[in-house]
Amino acid sequence: MKTFNPKEIPTAEFHSLMLGTIAPRPIAFASTVDKEGNVNLSPFSFFNCFGSNPPVLIFSPARRVRDNTGKHTLENVLETGEVVINIGNYAMVEQMSLASTEYDKGVNEFVKAGLTPVASTLVAPPRVAEAPAAFECKVLEVKPIGHQGGSANLVICEALLLHVQDEVFGGDGKTIDPFKLDAVARLGGDWYLRANGDSLFELPKPVRNKGIGIDQLPAHIRNSTVLTGNNLARLGNTEAIPSQEEVQAFAQDPMYRYLAQKYADNRIEMEKQMHLLAQRLLAEGRVPEAWKVLLVNSPLHR
């Protein structure tokens, strides 16, 4: 493992390492206006949400590493105290990227990127019509962290209104469908992430139950040469393991009987195959069945 001290290498080098490792990062596609009403639109991947009561969003138009200059977005929020944080998606990602071009002050990136401005309800900056969602925000505070190239400027915002396109809601009309949102995020270099397709997966939250933990797994499971840390954690997120009666009943399952007969003369290989089967079941979300596969040959359940 290599170790890097930011005080011992060029800022640009550490900056690149940060962007490559702290990823993926959501993108704040920020629209602002200056005191004369000139519109600016620019994406920032130093961005996230930090509370919901009040709803707080923070993004950082950091000072440019190469020449320590500030950005028009920062100048505008300092002048007006307002911003719209638009959420980009895959359908507009190249337009969003084009808007990051360092045009001269006063150039309207809506025009350059071919995007449609829509008047906001409570703030002066327009929102992006093509964006699946947009937060109208007032700026609570701008907190500079340093004054050198690469220094952060935390723009702390309170969301006053949220606009969400109808088509990105799920069937219940209340929750956002991530497949319909089709969000994008930044990685290092020229790389982006499309949050869709096989990139999306569901994971049950531990807050819904108090799992037994990996430390309470039987030793032959905990020390498996097949099961990964993720597999063990999924098992450890179970509140209670199957009863002895349930495990014994599973011994009649065709999956188990096939493997038990095939590897009857090789217990080491049988255990490996059982663990591989359990791993596949876990990948399919069939946790109780995976437990039974893993326990059916355990001395405690024979």
Side-chain angles (χ1 to χ4, degrees), residues 128-287:
V128 177
E130 292 81 0
F135 294 85
E136 294 188 26
C137 302
K138 69 176 180 180
V139 177
L140 301 176
E141 181 183 355
V142 178
K143 186 173 182 61
I145 312 293
H147 301 282
Q148 303 301 313
S151 294
N153 293 285
L154 305 184
V155 182
I156 304 171
C157 309
E158 179 179 346
L160 305 176
L161 287 177
L162 167 61
H163 306 275
V164 183
Q165 291 185 359
D166 292 339
E167 51 265 34
V168 302
F169 284 101
D172 62 2
K174 297 179 181 179
T175 55
I176 305 298
D177 184 327
F179 292 94
K180 295 178 180 178
L181 181 65
D182 205 9
V184 292
R186 285 289 279 123
L187 293 89
D190 293 337
W191 290 97
Y192 283 74
L193 170 75
R194 182 180 187 180
N196 212 318
D198 292 339
S199 297
L200 298 181
F201 61 94
E202 290 185 287
L203 191 63
K205 293 182 180 180
V207 295
R208 296 174 187 162
N209 57 275
K210 186 176 289 186
I212 62 173
I214 290 177
D215 62 317
Q216 296 301 308
L217 300 180
H220 78 283
I221 297 176
R222 192 172 63 249
N223 300 322
S224 171
T225 59
V226 172
L227 300 175
T228 67
N230 281 340
N231 297 150
L232 298 180
R234 179 64 68 94
L235 294 167
N237 193 34
T238 304
E239 286 189 286
I241 65 176
S243 67
Q244 186 169 349
E245 291 73 22
E246 290 175 310
V247 174
Q248 289 175 340
F250 182 76
Q252 304 306 313
D253 186 277
M255 288 188 300
Y256 168 72
R257 290 176 64 84
Y258 170 77
L259 292 176
Q261 292 171 6
K262 184 175 181 179
Y263 300 103
D265 297 329
N266 189 338
R267 293 200 58 81
I268 294 177
E269 184 62 24
M270 181 191 294
E271 181 171 287
K272 177 183 176 181
Q273 293 301 320
M274 292 294 182
H275 284 215
L276 287 169
L277 173 58
Q279 191 172 59
R280 291 195 294 273
L281 292 169
L282 289 171
E284 296 169 4
R286 298 162 65 182
V287 179

Side-chain angles (χ1 to χ4, degrees), residues 66-100:
R66 68 176 182 277
D67 58 8
N68 193 25
T69 55
K71 298 179 180 177
H72 299 143
T73 298
L74 177 62
E75 297 171 2
N76 290 352
V77 297
L78 288 170
E79 287 183 4
T80 68
E82 295 180 338
V83 61
V84 175
I85 296 179
N86 303 278
I87 304 300
N89 64 2
Y90 187 73
M92 58 183 286
V93 64
E94 297 213 31
Q95 290 172 282
M96 186 165 58
S97 176
L98 179 57
S100 69

